Amino acid sequence: MATFEPVLSKYFNTPNSWTLDQYRSRGGYYGYETAKRAITQFEPKALTEEVKKSNLRGRGGAGFPTGMKWTFLPENGKPRYLAVNADESEPGTFKDRAIMGRDPHQLIEAIICSCWAIQSNNAYIFIRGEFVFEAKRLQAAIDECYRAGILGQDVLGLGKFKLDVTVIRGAGAYICGEETGLLSAAEGCRAYPKVKPPFPAVEGYFRNPTIINNVETIACVLHIVARGWEWFKKIGPESGPGPKLFGISGHVKKPGLYEAPLGVTLRSLIYDYAGGPIGEIKGIIPGGSSMPIMTPDQLDVPADYDSIKAAGSFLGSAGLIVFNKDTCIVNALLNLARFYHHESCGQCTPCREGLGWLEKLCHRIEFGHGHDGDVDLMNEVSVMIKGRTICFLADSLIMPVQSYIQKFRPEFEYHIIHKKCMTGTKAGEFAPLEGAALARA
Amino acid sequence: MTTTTTTLKPETIEAIKALTKRFPKPEGALLTAFRMAEREVGFIDAHVCEQVAEAIGMPPAKAWGTLSFYTTFRKDTDGKYIVWVCATLPCALRGAENVFDHISQRLGLKKDETSPDKLFTLKKAECLGSCGTAPCMQVNDDYYENLTFEKIDQIVEDLRAGKSPARHVTTA
């Protein structure tokens, strides 16, 4: 493991890291010094240009170049908004939560820089309802900023612009993490995604130009402004560089959140950071549960946007889920099918109905009622769903369905023929973890 | 959902009206206004929803349409403590099903049931975003992570005794 000094998570374990006093005592780039420099030394367009040159790509899942997104804003005199996507709900992902809970001022300073660049006077942070603790920390930090004159009518007392930051809490809907679903929720509606185009940058929050970025993406902006795009671009591959928070969960010895440069191999993440797998690795989901599964022969693929894509999956939100060889792949797929079916907003028929069919098919295969031809039927259904919906939610199940079948087809067939799991586990159950505290009573 | 006759305090109505100014249109305040009403009343039903809609200046039917989409606003039929046990894949791989069975047995409740004394409601949650500290559960506002049977027993015991359990926080 090459030595890499954490950037985003550097102060996560510092006592009182969430307070303004501690944030100011850090010196250097922190304490709103970077925001001051951004506002006084950069014209907004020049600042956008800095972000563009850094090649920063979105950390939420799609990996779209952030600077480029910012340049899509039209010059039409309408108010502009920044929506920070903190509705972290993709299974396997738990990174934004740490930024907001442990270092909220880092995010607020980054929001000031970003709002100056895109010339927005209002930022909304949409945080999932379950994160009560994180929402409180964030709100407390925002309140501190208002009292200190950092936010409000005159940002940092520089006489340049006004900025209000408002936290909106969701209430238990995965679909709020889809950018237009998020806007619908923030408009006081059911979180229905909207048809694109128009893209939110052109017509977003209440039909005004809106930039929607993930928490971690925005946090990166602070460090790009602080240390320059050249520095940022040197971390990892040039086409999608930067420090990255990797969440590693499932069958590893030390699950948790680790910061590493993009381009670190999956092997290094699992063995050097997460202490190695528990048992023998069967599959790795590289970027949150919706991404196609990878196999142990792909462990040396670097974890960056382009390399993972070339290996047939996506980096997504960089939440790694590791399966060991005792994991019944049909049961894993059933769990995900239940999740995505449950979280479908219900707008589009292929998603609302189709994901339910897939769940039922998985269920009957797992529980020994599968029919000959069910695997092909699942493939067929998935082909009919893919790309036929407003948003990406349905595709988020289709990718696992197709990749699990492609890579582990014999396990599905075994279930249908022998009416039991190839791994020897009971239908609907996962193998107990060796040495885990939760052996079945 | 039954309908009560709870009337929101005037200061809550005023706070909701003030909040609407932070948004391009007043409706933007709806989710936050629901939270304010929920904090005061303890739940949201049709009557509370109507008052929130009126304070914002939007049709009550539209507010109800929004409310009914979301799963975590409290209902008047819920117990004092809503226990959400995460059941999604990363937790499931590390024994979430055992956590659920254990707590189900301790509370004497099945999924979506509320105890007769209205102290506990047991639910299964979809990914709580705590996969690195799985298995996990949420009781009202608080997360409990890296669960073991001993921890679960202690948490249930503390809640029954009206004490605030240790949170076992590792990620935040």
Side-chain angles (χ1 to χ4, degrees), chain A residues 104-137:
Chain A
H105 283 286
Q106 177 185 201
L107 178 63
I108 298 168
E109 183 164 15
I111 287 173
I112 296 175
C113 297
S114 306
C115 282
W116 174 247
I118 65 169
Q119 289 290 286
S120 162
N121 299 120
N122 280 287
Y124 297 93
I125 305 173
F126 192 97
I127 181 168
R128 68 179 292 188
E130 289 85 342
F131 290 170
V132 183
F133 177 83
E134 288 75 10
K136 279 183 185 160
R137 280 262 170 98

Side-chain angles (χ1 to χ4, degrees), chain A residues 81 92 97 102 124 128 130 146 165-166 170-172 185-186 188-190 205 250-252 335 338-339 438-440, chain B residues 22-24 28 35 65-66 68 70-72 87 89 93-94 98 126-127 129 131 135 138 143 145 147 149 167 170-171:
Chain A
Y81 298 100
R97 183 184 166 200
R102 299 198 200 180
Y124 297 93
R128 68 179 292 188
E130 289 85 342
Y146 273 102
V165 179
T166 308
C189 299
R190 299 165 85 90
Y205 195 36
H251 295 146
V252 290
N335 189 299
R338 192 204 63 226
F339 175 83
L438 278 156
R440 181 160 281 273
Chain B
R22 288 187 82 89
F23 296 88
R35 288 288 179 200
T66 300
S68 57
Y70 299 92
T71 52
T72 62
L89 191 58
L93 291 172
R94 297 187 78 93
N98 298 349
E126 294 298 355
C127 192
C131 321
Q138 182 171 25
Y143 271 51
E145 300 164 284
L147 290 172
F149 293 137
R167 278 193 60 221
T170 44
T171 54

Side-chain angles (χ1 to χ4, degrees), chain B residues 38-109:
Chain B
E38 185 189 38
R39 200 181 315 138
E40 189 196 312
V41 184
F43 58 85
I44 306 173
D45 63 3
H47 186 63
V48 175
C49 175
E50 202 177 329
Q51 295 171 72
V52 169
E54 198 179 310
I56 290 176
M58 68 192 288
K62 198 185 166 202
W64 182 257
T66 300
L67 178 71
S68 57
F69 182 81
Y70 299 92
T71 52
T72 62
F73 287 116
R74 296 182 69 101
K75 301 177 180 70
D76 57 350
T77 48
D78 287 334
K80 183 178 173 191
Y81 300 110
I82 305 183
V83 180
W84 294 91
V85 180
C86 181
T88 312
L89 191 58
C91 273
L93 291 172
R94 297 187 78 93
E97 210 43 53
N98 298 349
V99 169
F100 186 85
D101 291 349
H102 186 77
I103 197 155
S104 167
Q105 187 213 337
R106 279 287 176 278
L107 298 178
L109 297 174

